Amino acid sequence: RLENRLKHYAKYKLLIIDEIGYLPIDAEDAKLFFQLIDLRYEQKSTILTTNASFKTWGDIFQDTKIANAILDRVLHHATVVNIIGDSYRLKDHFNKENSK
């Protein structure tokens, strides 16, 4: 059944994975995530979002070797967009606070 789930997510032309590192990823889940990335590598497009720097991915995945293998595949042929600035989600909140 697990193999079917991996194949399911591997088939999409584009897979978007939001907020890598927001929730903890245990060792077994890290291995599954690697398998998914490896299945998609150079075959399909994947977009990842994260607030974590690549240097901290070893901590996120609780395994530096797995994190490096994931990053090796993800960053090969990748375009990295680094957005620096205030939170888009909080901008309206701060605008309302300032207008009072």
Side-chain angles (χ1 to χ4, degrees):
R1 183 180 159 128
L2 180 58
E3 190 172 318
N4 287 339
R5 284 282 89 186
L6 283 172
K7 287 180 183 177
H8 173 80
Y9 289 111
K11 73 178 180 181
Y12 293 105
K13 290 181 183 179
L14 174 65
L15 181 65
I16 301 172
I17 303 170
D18 192 28
E19 294 290 351
I20 296 291
Y22 179 72
L23 296 174
I25 299 170
D26 67 31
E28 287 304 309
D29 291 340
K31 291 175 187 174
L32 290 172
F33 188 73
F34 169 77
Q35 289 177 29
L36 175 63
I37 295 300
D38 192 53
L39 280 171
R40 298 182 60 77
Y41 176 59
E42 292 193 323
Q43 304 295 318
K44 308 287 182 166
S45 297
T46 306
I47 296 174
L48 304 173
T49 70
T50 185
N51 287 329
S53 71
F54 296 135
K55 291 178 182 179
T56 65
W57 279 39
D59 295 330
I60 290 169
F61 290 99
Q62 300 182 27
D63 185 327
T64 303
K65 288 181 183 178
I66 291 258
N68 287 339
I70 291 168
L71 285 170
D72 185 57
R73 286 156 179 79
V74 167
L75 295 175
H76 187 224
H77 305 302
T79 299
V80 177
V81 178
N82 190 10
I83 300 172
I84 299 172
D86 296 331
S87 169
Y88 179 79
R89 293 180 183 106
L90 294 178
K91 73 175 176 65
D92 291 334
H93 172 75
F94 291 128
N95 287 338
K96 289 177 187 174
E97 289 291 317
N98 292 334
S99 66
K100 290 182 181 180

